[in-house]
Amino acid sequence: MIPLLILSSAATVLTLLALWIPVRTTKWLTAGTIIAAIGAILVGWNQPAEYFGGLFRWDPLAQGLTLVALLGVLWAVVIGRHGGERLEYYLLALYAAVGMLLMASTPNLVVILIALEALSLPLYVLATWRRDAPSYEAGLKYFLLGALSAAIFLYGIALHFGATGSFNVGIAGSGTLYVAAMVMLLIGLAFKASMVPFHWWTPDVYQGSPTGVSLLMATAVKAAAFAALVRLTTEGLPAWGAALTLVIVLTLIFGNLGALAQTEAKRLLAYSSIAHAGYVGVGLFSGTGGPAISFYLLTYLLGTGLAFAVLSAISNGTVPYERLRGLFGRNRLLGVGFGLAMLSLAGLPPFPGFWGKLLVFLEGAKAHQYALLVLALVTSAIAAYYYLRLFGLAVLSRQPEHEREEDRAGVLPPWPTATTASATARWAMTLAMVLIGILGILPFLGYRAFAAGQPNLAARVPLSTNVSITSPSDGAEVPAGEFSLQGTGKPGEALEIYDGATKLGTVTVGQNGGWSFALEPVPSPGTHTYQARQAGQAGGPSVTVKVTAP
Amino acid sequence: MADIALFLPLLAGVSLVLWPGLGRPFAWVASGGVFVLSLVMFFLHPKEGIAYLTQTPLLGPAGIYYAVGLDNAAMFLWLAVSFTVFLSVWVAKAPTRMLGYALMMETGLLGIFAALDLVLFYVFFEFTLIPALLMLGLYGGRERMRALYTFALFTLVGSLPMLAAILAARFLGGAESFLIGDLYNHPLKGVAASWVFLGFFFALAVKTPLFPLHAWLPSFHQENHPSGLADAMGTLYKVGIFAFFRWAMPLAPEGFQGLQPLLLTLAAFTAIYAAWAAWGAKDWKNLLAYGGISHMGLAAIGLFSGTSEGAVGALFLLGASFVYTGGMFLFTGLLYERTGTLEIGPVRGLAKSAPALAALGMILVMSMIGLPGLAGFPGEFMALLGAYKASPWLTFVAFLSVIAAAAYALTAYQKVFHESENRAVPDMTLQEWSFAVVIVAAIALLGLYPKLFTQLLQPLAKAFAALFGGAA
C-alpha cells in the first residue's frame, strides 16, 4: 500500500510543483520517488496484505512484478534522452508507474481496466514525443489499437460478469458465454503484452517512439500485463487452453522470424520483445509460474534496458545495423554493454537471460507442455542467430578503414562517445552490467526473493545413492548427548558414519529402510559435520549441526 | 579444493582481459597453479567414489544445485585439461588478452568434467563457447566471421535439443532434482528414453565430433590465431565422449540401445572419412583438425560398443588426445613462427637446421598415429578391442583409419622436415625446450604406463558397461 501512496501522492504534488522548479529537478525528484517506492516494496517484501475489501491485493506476485515495472520506469527516466527536456515527460512516466502498480496488484477486472487506461494514456502521449512523422504514426497506432484492445477487454469484463456474476477473477464459470469472456480478456491483455496476432503495432511504435519510451513499453508495460495474465490463468487455463497455446505458438514463431529479417536495431528489439513475451507465456501453464515469470522479466529488463541505453546513446532515432559495426573498438563501455545485452537476451549461460529462460521452461515442463518447449527451444536457436549477428557486428567486427578515415575527417556524423552518453547513463549502464554479472553467476539471489514462501528443495538430495540423513536436520542446534543420527538407506546395507574425516563406525540399515546411529562417546560442543557413506564410496549425504553443551 | 581450482582460471582470465598489463607471467602462474593443484588433487584423491564434493542449492525451489566433485574419470580428464592449458599458455606466442580468454575457457572445461548437476553441466558446456567465440572473433584470420557463425550455429543449435532433453530427463524420469544421483535413480524408459537420448545426441555429436556434425571444426581451426593457442583450447573442447559416458547413455540406456547400430556406423564412418580428408589436407591445421576428428571417431566407436574395455579406451584416448593433439597444435604454432606459413609443401627440409625441432615433431606425429609406447596407442587399442565385441566389421572399417593416419601424418612430416631445400630456421629456444621435455614426458608416461590411469577408469567403465548388459 505504501508504494502506491508514495507514487500517487508524489505524482500529484510534483505536477503542481513542476511549474515552479527546473526540469532537471523534476527529473531527479521523479527518480527519487520511484527509488523510494522501490525501497518501500523491498522493506515490505513478502508481507502480503489486502485493502479495499480485496480490490488491492499486495501479494508476492504483485510485489515482484511491480518491482520489475518500477525498475523499468526508473531506467527509462534515468537513461531517456528525448530531445528538448520538458517536465511532462517525467510526470507522465510517473503516472504510468501508478497504473502499472495498480494493474499488478488487483484481482478485480474493473480495476484492471482502469489501471490499463491509467498506464496507457501517458504512453500514448509519450509515444508522439518527438513530433515528427514516425512519432505521430507511432502515437496514433498505439492509441487506436490500445483503445480497441481496451474496448475488447471491457466487453470481456461485461461477459464475465454475465457468466459468473462477479468482477473478480478466481471465480470459474462455464458455458459459451464464459469462454467468450475469457478469450476476450486474453485478447485485451495480449495486446498490451504484444503477443501474436495482436502484436502488429509493436515494431512501428517502438521504432517511432523515443528510445526511453520504447523501453518502457517493452519492459514495464509487459510486466504489468503479465501480472494480470498470471492472475487470470489460475482460472482461465481450462477455458483458454487451446487459445493460449495457439497465441504462444504464433508469438514464438512470428516474433523470432520477424526479428530475423530486421536491419534496424530498434525494430529488432521490438520483435525480440514479442518473442520474449512468448517465452514468458510458456511459464503460464503450470499455475505456479509467478516467481519464474517475475525473474524472467527482471532478466529481460536488464538485457533490453542495457541494449536500449546503448542505442539511446548512439541516436534517439533509428539505428541501422551498420552503425553498430565496430562499436567495441570506438567505445569500450557501449561495446561491452551491447555485447552483454545480446548474450543475455540470447539466453547463453551463465547470463541471467539463460536462468530466466530455464526457469520458465521448467514451469512448462512441470505442466508437461513438451511440444511447446521444443518449439520454444527451436525458436531460441533462431534467436541465438540474430543476437549473435549483432554481437559479432558490435564486438567482434572492426570498423572498416575507409570509414575510420571519414570519421576522422568529419564526413560521417560525429560518432557518439562516452560524453554523449551522460555521466548518469554511464553509471547506470555500469550498474546494470554488474547486476547482469551477479545474477548470471548467482541467480538464486534474484530468484529466491521472488520465490519466497515457496517450498524449498534444499533438503540435501544424496548424490549417488539412496542414502540420506533425516535427523538432525542440517544447520540445527542440538544439545550434546541428547540426539542420535537417523536416516534411510537400502535395507540390509552397511553404511559408514563419519564425523568430518574421522570414521565413527558402521551401521546396518534396518528392514524398514531406516537406520539409527548412537553417538558414543558424546560429541564435544562445536560444529560437527556428520556424513553417511556407502562402503567404499568417498562421499555421501551429510548434515552440519551445531552441538551445544548439555 | 576443486572449487578453487575451478574458478581460479576464470578470475585470472577476467583480470587479464580487463588489465592486460598484468602480463604473461600472470597467466603462467595462474595456469601453472591450477595444474599443480590438480596434480595434488590427483595424488590425494581416494581412487574410488567421488572426491572433493561440494553441493549447495543454486536455484533451490527449482531443484538446481551447484554440485561439483571428481570421480576417477573426471579426475583423469581434469588433469589432462589443466596440463594442456598450462602448456598452451606457456608456449603459445599469443596476445596477452588472448591468454585471458584461454584461462576463462579452462574454467568451463574443468566444470564440464566436475559438474554433478545436469543443469550445471549444461551451463559449463555452453559457457565454454563464449571465450572460444571471442578468441576466434577477435584474433582470427580473414574469413573468421564465417567460421564463427558456422561454429556458433552448430554448437548453439545442437545444444538446445539437449536443454529440452535435460528438462525431459528430470520430469519424465520423475527425479526431484537435477543431481546426478537423483537422475541415475530414475532412468528413462521406452519412447521417452529415445527422445531424450536423441536430444543429447545432437549436442554431443557436435562436440565429439561425429560425421556429419563435424563440419564446423575444420574452418574453426583454419581461421584461428596461428599461435596454436586457440586450437589447443579447441581440442579440449571435444568433450562429447565424456558427456555421452557421464550423462546421455546412463540416463537413457534404452534410448542408446535402440540407436546403437546407427551410432557405431556413424563412429566408424567418421573415423575413416576424416582420415581420408586429412590425407587431402593442404596445411597442418586442416590435417590436425581432420586427424583429431578421426581419432574421436575411434573413441566414439569404443564407447558406443557399450563394453568396459571400449569405455576405458574411449576415455583414455580422449585424455591422451588432449595432450598430444594439443601439443601438435602448439608445435605448428612454433613452425608458423619460423616459416610464416602452415601449408604443407612450400617449406621443406627443416630438419637440417633444426634437428631438435624435427625430433620433437617426430615424437608428436608418432604419438598421433598410435605408435605403441606413446600416448595414442593404449586408447586406440582398447577402444578397438571393445568395439570388436560389438561389431567386428565396423571395427575393421574404423581400424583402417589407423593405417591411414600413418600415411597422412608421416607424409606431411617427411615433406616439411626432410626432402631437399634445406631452408635454415632457428632451432628450439630454451622455453621451447622446456615445452618439449614436459610434453614428451607426458606422452611417454601415458604410453608406457597407461595402467596408472586405466586402472582408475576400470571400475567406472565396468559399472557403465553393466547398464547395457555388457558387464564382462
Side-chain angles (χ1 to χ4, degrees):
Chain A
M1 189 70 183
I2 297 170
L4 178 65
L5 293 178
I6 292 178
L7 284 179
S8 48
S9 54
T12 317
V13 174
L14 278 180
T15 310
L16 297 172
L17 274 185
L19 299 172
W20 288 281
I21 59 178
V23 177
R24 283 199 73 76
T25 317
T26 309
K27 173 175 175 175
W28 290 114
L29 283 175
T30 310
T33 306
I34 296 167
I35 291 172
I38 290 172
I41 295 177
L42 293 179
V43 168
W45 192 256
N46 199 27
Q47 292 162 14
E50 271 193 8
Y51 302 93
F52 306 129
L55 285 187
F56 187 80
R57 189 180 287 170
W58 193 237
D59 55 6
L61 179 72
Q63 290 167 351
L65 286 165
T66 306
L67 179 71
V68 175
L70 288 186
L71 283 173
V73 178
L74 180 64
W75 189 256
V77 167
V78 172
I79 292 296
R81 296 190 317 143
H82 40 82
E85 299 254 333
R86 277 202 301 271
L87 57 97
E88 294 90 340
Y89 183 87
Y90 304 108
L91 297 174
L92 287 171
L94 201 53
Y95 282 114
V98 178
M100 290 167 197
L101 187 148
L102 274 179
M103 186 152 168
S105 55
T106 179
N108 186 287
L109 290 170
V110 179
V111 183
I112 292 182
L113 181 73
I114 295 169
L116 194 71
E117 289 303 295
L119 84 87
S120 299
L121 284 171
L123 287 177
Y124 298 148
V125 182
L126 287 176
T128 59
W129 200 253
R130 282 211 322 265
R131 311 282 151 95
D132 55 11
S135 198
Y136 282 131
E137 184 192 338
L140 193 63
K141 257 193 187 153
Y142 197 37
F143 172 67
L144 285 179
L145 292 169
L148 177 68
S149 77
I152 293 174
F153 194 77
L154 184 59
Y155 203 171
I157 295 176
L159 295 186
H160 186 273
F161 186 76
T164 65
S166 165
F167 285 124
N168 275 344
V169 297
I171 296 160
S174 57
T176 324
L177 191 62
Y178 177 72
V179 172
M182 291 309 287
V183 168
M184 282 185 165
L185 295 178
L186 174 66
I187 291 174
L189 292 174
F191 258 110
K192 283 290 158 201
S194 56
M195 291 164 102
V196 181
F198 312 106
H199 69 292
W200 60 79
W201 55 275
T202 315
D204 294 336
V205 173
Y206 281 24
Q207 195 184 7
S209 307
T211 309
V213 179
S214 318
L215 168 71
L216 260 186
M217 295 173 189
T219 58
V221 175
K222 202 157 274 187
F226 268 102
L229 268 174
V230 172
R231 277 190 208 287
L232 276 166
T233 39
T234 20
E235 67 154 320
L237 265 188
W240 287 342
L244 184 64
T245 314
L246 184 71
V247 166
I248 291 170
V249 165
L250 290 176
T251 307
L252 286 172
I253 294 176
F254 286 98
N256 283 300
L257 289 185
L260 205 54
Q262 298 313 309
T263 54
E264 198 275 316
K266 265 162 95 178
R267 280 185 87 83
L268 173 96
L269 287 177
Y271 276 103
S272 129
S273 121
I274 297 172
H276 281 280
Y279 297 126
V280 181
V282 175
L284 287 172
F285 288 92
S286 68
T288 56
I293 288 176
S294 306
F295 186 75
Y296 188 101
L297 288 169
L298 178 68
T299 64
Y300 171 70
L301 167 75
L302 280 174
T304 303
L306 201 51
F308 269 119
V310 172
L311 295 187
S312 149
I314 292 174
S315 153
N316 205 22
T318 56
V319 183
Y321 282 0
E322 274 308 307
R323 291 224 41 185
L324 292 168
R325 184 181 288 281
L327 182 64
F328 178 69
R330 301 191 235 205
N331 187 321
R332 284 289 141 94
L333 180 79
L334 295 186
V336 171
F338 198 73
L340 274 182
M342 288 302 116
L343 291 181
S344 181
L345 287 175
L348 241 64
F351 293 99
F354 166 73
W355 296 110
K357 250 185 201 169
L358 181 73
L359 286 169
V360 292
F361 288 177
L362 270 174
E363 296 295 331
K366 239 190 245 173
H368 295 285
Q369 293 285 342
Y370 290 106
L372 204 56
L373 271 184
V374 169
L375 180 73
L377 286 163
V378 170
T379 51
S380 293
I382 300 175
Y385 177 73
Y386 58 76
Y387 289 125
L388 277 182
R389 187 164 54 152
L390 277 186
F391 179 80
L393 207 60
V395 179
L396 302 178
S397 298
R398 292 147 213 170
Q399 193 186 5
E401 194 52 44
H402 65 89
E403 202 179 293
R404 224 175 290 173
E405 278 159 21
E406 287 173 1
D407 231 8
R408 266 181 245 122
V411 177
L412 288 179
W415 178 258
T417 56
T419 44
T420 48
S422 66
T424 330
R426 270 182 288 153
W427 277 109
M429 277 193 240
T430 314
L431 185 69
M433 282 185 236
V434 171
L435 268 181
I436 284 183
I438 292 176
L439 274 188
I441 296 171
L442 308 168
F444 55 85
L445 286 181
Y447 184 64
R448 197 182 278 163
F450 289 123
Q454 287 219 343
N456 199 330
L457 274 179
R460 296 198 170 194
V461 183
L463 269 174
S464 55
T465 65
N466 279 315
V467 181
S468 71
I469 300 180
T470 53
S471 164
S473 57
D474 198 32
E477 214 170 283
V478 284
E482 291 177 26
F483 72 101
S484 60
L485 294 178
Q486 287 166 13
T488 60
K490 280 189 205 123
E493 186 183 35
L495 299 178
E496 297 168 345
I497 308 296
Y498 282 78
D499 178 0
T502 325
K503 187 173 166 185
L504 298 179
T506 52
V507 64
T508 309
V509 181
Q511 282 315 304
N512 59 357
W515 54 267
S516 172
F517 185 82
L519 290 162
E520 294 288 344
V522 176
S524 57
T527 308
H528 289 260
T529 301
Y530 295 107
Q531 193 175 44
R533 301 182 185 173
Q534 283 175 310
Q537 295 285 318
S542 67
V543 293
T544 303
V545 293
K546 198 173 168 197
V547 178
T548 56
Chain B
M1 193 136 69
D3 307 292
I4 300 173
L6 185 54
F7 289 106
L8 184 70
L10 180 66
L11 275 178
V14 171
S15 319
L16 207 56
V17 170
L18 290 179
W19 303 287
L22 288 169
R24 311 170 63 82
F26 181 77
W28 299 340
V29 170
S31 60
V34 176
F35 175 56
V36 170
L37 213 56
S38 309
L39 262 186
V40 172
M41 284 162 64
F42 179 78
F43 285 109
L44 290 185
H45 91 284
K47 318 291 178 219
E48 50 187 17
I50 298 165
Y52 312 112
L53 197 66
T54 313
Q55 185 184 337
T56 175
L58 193 60
L59 285 170
I64 298 167
Y65 288 75
Y66 170 76
V68 295
L70 296 169
D71 64 0
N72 289 338
M75 192 68 241
F76 168 59
L77 293 168
W78 174 291
L79 195 63
V81 165
S82 59
F83 175 73
T84 313
V85 174
F86 171 56
L87 272 192
S88 317
V89 173
W90 177 247
V91 177
K93 305 276 190 298
T96 316
R97 273 216 175 89
M98 195 167 161
L99 299 183
Y101 293 121
L103 285 172
M104 285 159 75
M105 191 162 169
E106 185 179 9
T107 289
L109 292 162
L110 295 178
I112 290 174
F113 299 125
L116 294 175
D117 180 288
L118 191 47
V119 171
L120 189 70
F121 161 79
Y122 181 82
V123 170
F124 281 123
F125 193 80
E126 289 293 276
F127 168 69
T128 319
L129 171 69
I130 295 166
L133 276 180
L134 289 170
M135 272 197 270
L136 177 59
L138 293 174
Y139 303 103
R142 210 176 326 133
E143 292 286 308
R144 67 185 190 289
M145 289 320 263
R146 193 191 303 166
L148 186 136
Y149 290 133
T150 322
F151 170 52
L153 277 193
F154 266 93
T155 42
L156 278 175
V157 173
S159 32
L160 287 165
M162 181 161 84
L163 186 57
I166 285 173
L167 296 178
R170 173 177 159 196
F171 285 98
L172 292 177
E176 281 189 349
S177 68
F178 288 100
L179 285 171
I180 189 167
D182 204 1
L183 291 172
Y184 273 21
N185 285 338
H186 299 89
L188 294 155
K189 299 261 183 282
V191 190
S194 302
W195 282 109
V196 167
F197 185 80
L198 216 60
F200 274 105
F201 173 77
F202 280 111
L204 301 183
V206 170
K207 299 266 172 78
T208 302
L210 283 179
F211 179 89
L213 298 177
H214 70 288
W216 57 275
L217 201 133
S219 68
F220 172 81
H221 284 301
Q222 193 79 42
E223 294 302 326
N224 249 317
H225 192 266
S227 69
L229 173 63
D231 304 289
M233 302 307 293
T235 302
L236 302 176
Y237 201 21
K238 292 180 196 158
V239 290
I241 293 286
F242 175 79
F244 269 120
F245 171 80
R246 167 61 51 86
W247 299 104
M249 290 164 72
L251 289 187
E254 286 186 14
F256 160 68
Q257 277 162 328
L259 287 173
Q260 193 180 17
L262 177 71
L263 292 170
L264 285 169
T265 314
L266 264 184
F269 184 73
T270 304
I272 191 77
Y273 162 82
W276 177 68
W279 172 249
K282 291 278 186 295
D283 70 44
W284 277 109
K285 279 198 175 181
N286 228 327
L287 181 134
L288 292 177
Y290 279 110
I293 298 175
S294 172
H295 285 139
M296 286 300 116
L298 285 179
I301 199 172
L303 190 73
F304 293 152
S305 70
T307 59
S308 68
E309 293 90 342
V312 172
L315 291 173
F316 189 87
L317 186 55
L318 182 66
S321 85
F322 284 170
V323 174
Y324 65 74
T325 316
M328 200 67 211
F329 272 117
L330 294 171
F331 177 74
T332 59
L334 303 185
L335 281 186
Y336 180 83
E337 201 188 316
R338 285 170 171 73
T339 62
T341 177
L342 284 170
E343 271 181 77
I344 300 166
V347 183
R348 292 178 188 231
L350 297 184
K352 200 130 199 178
S353 55
L357 195 68
L360 173 62
M362 191 72 203
I363 295 173
L364 285 166
V365 166
M366 285 298 177
S367 171
M368 199 170 109
I369 65 178
L371 192 76
L374 294 177
F377 176 71
E380 281 181 20
F381 179 74
M382 293 189 73
L384 288 171
L385 193 68
Y388 186 79
K389 286 190 186 169
S391 166
W393 280 107
L394 286 172
T395 309
F396 175 70
V397 173
F399 175 70
L400 290 178
S401 79
V402 178
I403 300 173
Y408 64 72
L410 287 179
T411 317
Y413 179 78
Q414 187 208 1
K415 276 187 188 160
V416 173
F417 283 98
H418 297 293
E419 293 196 5
S420 56
E421 206 192 332
N422 293 337
R423 178 145 151 203
V425 292
D427 208 347
M428 290 203 280
T429 63
L430 193 64
Q431 190 194 18
E432 287 157 11
W433 265 108
S434 63
F435 160 65
V437 168
V438 175
I439 194 146
V440 169
I443 287 174
L445 175 71
L446 284 165
L448 293 174
Y449 191 45
K451 200 175 159 214
L452 176 62
F453 303 108
T454 49
Q455 69 183 9
L456 291 178
L457 300 175
Q458 214 64 264
L460 287 173
K462 281 215 172 97
F464 170 79
L467 288 174
F468 315 108

